[in-house]
Amino acid sequence: MGVPVLLDGPRLRARLVDDGPYAALDVVVSTGSTNTDLVAAAGRGAADRTVLIAEEQLSGRGRMQRQWTSPRGHGLFVSVLLRPELPPVAISWLPLIAGVALAETVERTTGVRATLKWPNDLLLGDGEEWSKGAGILGEAVTGPDGVAIVLGMGINVFQKREDLPRGAGGLPATSLAAEGAEVDREEFAVALLTAFAEVDDRWRAAGGDVVASGLLDRYRRLCGTLGQQVRVELGGDDQLLGVATDIDETGRIVVRTPDGRTTAVSAGDVIHLRRA
């Protein structure tokens, strides 16, 4: 593959700000982290639905402070600043509904099969073997204008499989191109951000109620963790073994242990062991 075509910031602004649902959008060639930059912008009063895209991140990160490889022009590294006036229990759903938008966009625009590993890793594959193709990170910012959320998405687009590190839980990493997709990054960025605005609108209109908005059902349909024998690493030496049976209304994963008891977990690193 030749030198990647870099994204056109003014054209994206015309499509997503002038004629779209966003307040502001910038594309930078290189930065440490788009999330870090928007956290700082939130403190300066940046508007709801401000978008920052970087062609390259030098200090990209995922959940649990994992580093995210972000070579120039090979992925889509985007963060969105959001100021939803909703209860904190609803806000925790933002990374999960972003996962819905991302997985649905991948399947609709590329034909690559996509599933979500709870809470918000995007897995790509053929239904038998899955590899990690994207991650989502949400960060809360408290300032004079109230609480804002910065939501970052890092999607591998053009990387070769052999050039990528292993993903969370020992999963191999992949990219859309490695799964056979031909992707125009501008069109993919527009499709993804448009889809995210749609789920965000639906979620806010329902007052953050994922049941009434239909987003809980959409997440469950896409969640490949359900029905899996899993190990949930809870920190330190604590772990939970069992079958993932549900995602509840607060976004927790529900695990049934071998003794028949169920436990709902709000945070932890899930490792898929096998199909139950």
Side-chain angles (χ1 to χ4, degrees), residues 10-145:
R11 197 160 59 208
L12 283 171
R13 274 194 295 277
R15 298 178 70 179
L16 290 165
V17 178
D18 299 345
D19 296 324
Y22 289 91
L25 183 149
D26 283 309
V27 177
V28 297
V29 173
S30 183
T31 190
S33 160
T34 53
N35 262 32
T36 298
D37 292 349
L38 278 193
V39 165
R44 297 191 297 269
D48 182 28
R49 287 191 176 173
T50 293
V51 178
L52 179 63
I53 300 173
E55 291 289 4
E56 174 187 46
Q57 290 188 121
L58 302 177
S59 305
R61 63 191 190 279
R63 293 179 61 245
M64 301 185 178
Q65 300 305 309
R66 293 188 179 97
Q67 295 301 302
W68 186 268
T69 302
S70 312
R72 184 172 300 186
H74 281 70
L76 180 62
F77 316 116
V78 55
S79 294
V80 184
L81 170 61
L82 301 153
R83 297 186 184 276
E85 296 181 0
L86 295 171
V89 67
I91 298 297
S92 65
W93 262 95
L94 259 176
L96 282 75
I97 67 172
V100 170
L102 178 55
E104 291 180 347
T105 299
V106 166
E107 291 195 330
R108 184 177 67 255
T109 63
T110 72
V112 174
R113 290 194 63 182
T115 190
L116 297 170
K117 182 170 82 72
W118 182 90
N120 45 34
D121 282 338
L122 181 81
L123 307 186
L124 306 174
D126 59 8
E128 296 296 330
E129 297 293 332
W130 296 100
S131 301
K132 182 174 176 179
I136 300 170
L137 177 66
E139 299 181 80
V141 186
T142 302
D145 298 318

